[in-house]
Amino acid sequence: MLSQRLLRNVPLRQISGIRQFSHSAVSYGLFKDYLATIRPTIKEITPQQLDKKLTQTPGQGPPANLHLLDVRETYEWNEEHIPYAVYTGRGALERDIEGIVSDPNDEVVLYCAGGNRSILAAEALQKMGYKNVFSLDGGIGRWKKEGYPLNQNYNTYSEMVKY
């Protein structure tokens, strides 16, 4: 095709309306700006505060109205997770949340690797009507760095779930 031959020598960034998907760093500024806009509307919890909530009754786990949700990718969950966490990937959160947390007044703590995906997930849950939503500041990365315990997964998520 003539148009493809003519455009072959023109750098994509010079062609109006064509976006280079292999160079997603260009939109990174937009993502950072978006996070900066919504971060003040999300309550964040530190690893120390979360650990205190999880262990307030030794040997019994967290209170029934506290839900810790891991919103990372399945392969990340397959490696390790915070004790008492329930896996729900970020992509299915809005669809599945009512089956996990039926009371919108319960406490919901979300975490990911570094705290960005959990901010986005918290915003979505707040928009859905959940009242006590928190994002773990720094994610599981900060949790690990500060020396809090982790559970190792010996089976993948797919092996644990009955379809």
Side-chain angles (χ1 to χ4, degrees), residues 12-160:
L12 285 177
R13 64 183 159 275
Q14 292 178 5
I15 302 171
S16 176
I18 295 181
R19 182 176 176 148
Q20 288 181 283
F21 292 104
S22 63
H23 295 284
S24 59
V26 174
S27 66
Y28 188 68
L30 296 175
F31 180 69
K32 282 179 67 174
D33 291 346
Y34 180 61
L35 279 177
T37 301
I38 64 172
R39 188 177 296 272
T41 68
I42 306 301
K43 295 178 276 191
E44 291 188 274
I45 186 171
T46 66
Q48 181 182 14
Q49 292 168 322
L50 177 59
D51 184 60
K52 187 175 179 181
K53 285 179 180 285
L54 293 176
T55 58
Q56 70 185 27
T57 309
Q60 293 188 15
N65 67 338
L66 173 65
H67 307 272
L68 178 60
L69 305 181
D70 186 325
V71 296
R72 298 175 301 154
E73 298 294 327
T74 307
Y75 74 89
E76 293 170 294
W77 166 267
N78 287 343
E79 292 174 11
E80 59 195 6
H81 63 273
I82 296 174
Y84 306 107
V86 172
Y87 175 75
T88 178
R90 173 68 188 98
L93 178 66
E94 293 87 347
R95 182 194 69 204
D96 296 345
I97 188 63
E98 291 176 81
I100 301 168
V101 182
S102 59
D103 186 346
N105 294 305
D106 280 2
E107 276 188 282
V108 179
V109 179
L110 304 157
Y111 75 90
C112 59
N116 292 336
R117 287 174 285 181
S118 57
I119 290 280
L120 299 172
E123 179 197 31
L125 293 187
Q126 285 179 347
K127 286 181 177 180
M128 290 179 68
Y130 285 84
K131 311 275 188 276
N132 296 306
V133 181
F134 298 85
S135 172
L136 179 60
D137 186 28
I140 196 172
R142 181 173 170 193
W143 177 271
K144 283 171 36 172
K145 185 177 180 184
E146 293 185 11
Y148 292 102
L150 291 168
N151 286 351
Q152 301 294 314
N153 289 332
Y154 298 101
N155 294 321
T156 66
Y157 180 73
S158 297
E159 291 167 338
M160 292 185 291

